[in-house]
Amino acid sequence: MDNTIKTTCLHSSHVGLGARMSPFAGFDMPIQYTGIIDEHNAVRKDVGMFDVSHMGEIFVSGPDAMKFVNMIFTNDITPMEAGKILYGMMLYPDGGVVDDLLVYKEFTPDSYLLVVNAANIEKDHAWLLEHCEGYDVKIDNQSDSWGQIAVQGPSSEKTVVSVLGLDAAASLTFYHFTDLEYKGARIIVSRTGYTGEDGFEIYAPEDIICGMWESLLAAGVKPCGLGCRDTLRFEAGLPLYGDELSPEISPVMAGLSMFCKLDKDFIGRDALAAQKAGGVPRKLVGIELKDNAIPRAGYPVETPDGTPVGVVTTGYHSISLDKSICFALVDSAFAALGTPLSVRIRKHVFPGEVVKKRFYQTNYKN
Amino acid sequence: MSKIVEGLLYSESHEWVKVDGDVAIIGVSDFAQEEMGDITYVDMPEEGDEVAAGEEFGALESVKASSELYSPVSGKVVAVNSAVEDSPELINEDPYTNWIIKVKMSDSSELNSLLTAAAYGQKL
């Protein structure tokens, strides 16, 4: 792998807008433009847009595409109709997570789009190539030629229709997409997102993405950075690969078993079945603190008598809920709702208790 | 360009000191608040706590990160600014009016090792 930092097609726009830039998953990305709180609230209350061109797009096609994707993916793609999207994971045989991803069933027969985390594009591509032997499939990593904008928030439908003229977007329901011809190119518009709000993700060639971004900016849509992307997804109870899912944190530990269909075969299935039957040593929980001190990733979690039982994976003083909350990976014996747990923050210990991980009531258009 | 106020002394870790007799009024510089972004929490010492020059006395937390506060001088905390404890965003709005703590200095010669406004400006 080369170590040069990559940029998205919108990089010069970010710099021109005065964004605070920082390396993320090998890309120089905007963390914030005006401020995380301001951008977060725009998405919750109105609309905001994100450059997510760093995300990976890997196409799998061919006569065995369905069979192959089902073998490397935890969710069951068998009943999917064209235009449907499913969330799930690719696992190692021991149940650890290679990546979490979206699978789009394309309108072309025997063809699927896998949308993967930017940090994992090369690893995922290699994983697919390594396991496709014996399957009649073509695996095409097109990550470098697609840009992506996420338009998120309660006004997102109105925005993509009125500003971009994407009338077809209005009839989509959550986790569905459509293919459109736009200025002579194929684009993909899906009703998905990573914020807990209604929203759209638009995949298109880079020049089209730049044009759309400029149109949205001119219409007053607030550009939002990765800073609030994290606060938004966290409040909505959504995991981030590397924090809440990893080779060491299985979907059973993360509470994501509903996306793993054990009645079909896939890599890692037997390990998950054993984890479900025999239990897991650690589970991911939500913790709400009684104080405003902020629990950060890596801070120790303790019982009221001071016994260490886990560690914070993501934490914030929630912008939408105005309370200090975190995800933490804790010994399973302390994972029940209502269990008193404390977080050690610098020199002090702050008491709290286990709460549901979906801290914020999501607003999807189902 | 970050604002620097003349007549204050500055530490390398971006705190400022306003000297009022034997009391040091301490806050953070405009550069520090800009770097932090939206400040959401101030971890304060208590009145009566002893602080030592160069040692941590508290922390500022933004949405994304926490940043320790280091005391530019040694002495006893004689006041904490409850206004910024209740409304941390005041530090973003005006970091020079909204001080954090006041310390009764035990050794005012420590002030000599702090930076003047001009010297601090050159460091940024």
Side-chain angles (χ1 to χ4, degrees):
Chain A
M1 267 179 60
D2 70 79
N3 291 320
T4 51
I5 190 143
K6 294 198 261 189
T7 56
T8 74
C9 55
L10 296 171
H11 189 265
S12 61
S13 175
H14 303 321
V15 173
L17 288 164
R20 182 171 303 180
M21 306 295 290
S22 181
F24 178 84
F27 289 80
D28 192 37
M29 296 297 288
I31 300 305
Q32 63 174 64
Y33 300 83
T34 55
I36 293 178
I37 295 175
D38 197 25
E39 294 164 27
H40 178 108
N41 287 331
V43 172
R44 286 275 181 260
K45 292 168 186 163
D46 185 16
V47 63
M49 62 175 174
F50 299 82
D51 176 14
V52 281
S53 301
H54 58 312
M55 298 294 286
E57 294 83 11
I58 302 176
F59 290 81
V60 178
S61 59
D64 291 338
M66 186 171 87
K67 218 164 72 176
F68 173 64
V69 173
N70 239 0
M71 182 55 68
I72 51 92
F73 189 56
T74 57
N75 216 329
D76 188 4
I77 70 162
T78 318
M80 284 178 93
E81 294 181 2
K84 172 71 186 156
I85 302 162
L86 274 183
Y87 172 75
M89 286 128 265
M90 297 197 289
L91 301 185
Y92 294 105
D94 69 358
V97 182
V98 178
D99 201 3
D100 64 335
L101 64 153
L102 296 179
V103 170
Y104 288 58
K105 182 171 168 62
E106 295 222 82
F107 293 92
T108 320
D110 300 324
S111 183
Y112 297 86
L113 162 61
L114 279 49
V115 179
V116 305
N117 284 301
N120 294 334
I121 295 171
E122 302 305 324
K123 180 180 78 172
D124 292 354
H125 187 214
W127 181 259
L128 295 170
L129 292 175
E130 193 183 322
H131 291 87
C132 72
E133 201 176 318
Y135 293 92
D136 187 0
V137 291
K138 182 181 162 210
I139 292 165
D140 186 8
N141 177 13
Q142 296 188 10
S143 302
D144 287 344
S145 44
W146 290 82
Q148 192 196 149
I149 302 176
V151 181
Q152 301 280 303
S155 304
S156 58
E157 179 183 302
K158 196 177 71 191
T159 300
V160 297
V161 169
S162 68
V163 180
L164 302 177
L166 303 177
D167 295 355
S171 56
L172 294 171
T173 53
F174 196 52
Y175 268 60
H176 286 82
F177 74 100
T178 186
D179 275 356
L180 295 173
E181 188 172 315
Y182 185 90
K183 297 186 176 167
R186 179 203 172 189
I187 69 166
I188 298 167
V189 179
S190 70
R191 199 153 201 155
T192 47
Y194 195 43
T195 61
E197 298 299 331
D198 186 18
F200 298 87
E201 292 177 305
I202 303 166
Y203 304 78
E206 297 192 335
D207 56 323
I208 302 254
I209 286 294
C210 286
M212 286 181 166
W213 180 266
E214 291 304 323
S215 303
L216 291 163
L217 270 183
V221 178
K222 194 167 187 56
C224 298
L226 295 184
C228 78
R229 188 166 153 87
D230 200 55
T231 56
L232 290 159
R233 70 92 192 165
F234 164 73
E235 287 181 350
L238 302 170
L240 173 63
Y241 185 87
D243 289 348
E244 283 82 32
L245 288 170
S246 74
E248 288 76 40
I249 309 172
S250 78
V252 176
M253 295 178 201
L256 299 171
S257 295
M258 64 178 290
F259 301 104
C260 304
K261 305 300 182 201
L262 297 179
D263 55 359
K264 63 147 198 167
D265 195 20
F266 59 88
I267 300 172
R269 183 215 163 269
D270 294 350
L272 287 197
Q275 289 184 4
K276 284 200 88 170
V280 285
R282 298 182 300 165
K283 283 184 179 168
L284 191 73
V285 298
I287 298 175
E288 180 179 330
L289 299 185
K290 292 176 173 59
D291 190 271
N292 282 337
I294 304 173
R296 305 275 182 197
Y299 288 2
V301 176
E302 303 177 351
T303 60
D305 67 8
T307 310
V309 292
V311 63
V312 173
T313 60
T314 303
Y316 286 106
H317 186 81
S318 165
I319 297 166
S320 298
L321 304 169
D322 191 23
K323 50 193 181 190
S324 287
I325 46 180
C326 63
F327 291 145
L329 199 59
V330 302
D331 290 359
S332 298
F334 301 94
L337 291 179
T339 306
L341 288 178
S342 306
V343 178
R344 184 173 285 276
I345 301 174
R346 290 180 291 275
K347 293 169 193 157
H348 309 288
V349 173
F350 293 91
E353 68 170 49
V354 175
V355 297
K356 288 185 178 172
K357 290 195 290 291
R358 185 170 289 190
F359 305 108
Y360 174 82
Q361 183 58 49
T362 53
N363 300 301
Y364 302 130
K365 188 187 170 186
N366 291 305
Chain B
M1 190 61 201
S2 308
K3 191 174 149 195
I4 299 170
V5 173
E6 291 292 333
L8 302 180
L9 295 169
Y10 295 84
S11 68
E12 303 248 357
S13 47
H14 308 292
E15 289 83 13
W16 55 257
V17 176
K18 182 177 177 186
V19 180
D20 181 13
D22 61 353
V23 170
I25 305 169
I26 299 167
V28 297
S29 73
D30 191 40
F31 176 82
Q33 73 77 20
E34 277 183 359
E35 282 289 297
M36 287 291 293
D38 299 319
I39 295 167
T40 57
Y41 185 77
V42 185
D43 187 353
M44 288 277 196
E46 288 179 17
E47 275 182 35
D49 284 359
E50 293 287 338
V51 296
E55 288 187 11
E56 190 183 326
F57 72 82
L60 296 181
E61 303 236 27
S62 69
V63 176
K64 197 69 202 161
S66 70
S67 174
E68 284 74 30
L69 293 164
Y70 296 95
S71 183
V73 295
S74 305
K76 183 182 279 192
V77 177
V78 291
V80 300
N81 189 351
S82 58
V84 302
E85 198 169 11
D86 295 340
S87 305
E89 67 276 11
L90 289 172
I91 295 174
N92 292 118
E93 287 164 18
D94 187 348
Y96 294 109
T97 308
N98 294 297
W99 54 278
I100 298 172
I101 57 170
K102 294 184 181 181
V103 172
K104 188 170 164 55
M105 291 180 280
S106 56
D107 178 5
S108 58
S109 72
E110 287 171 348
L111 295 170
N112 298 333
S113 55
L114 298 175
L115 304 167
T116 62
Y120 179 64
Q122 287 184 346
K123 294 257 177 197
L124 297 184

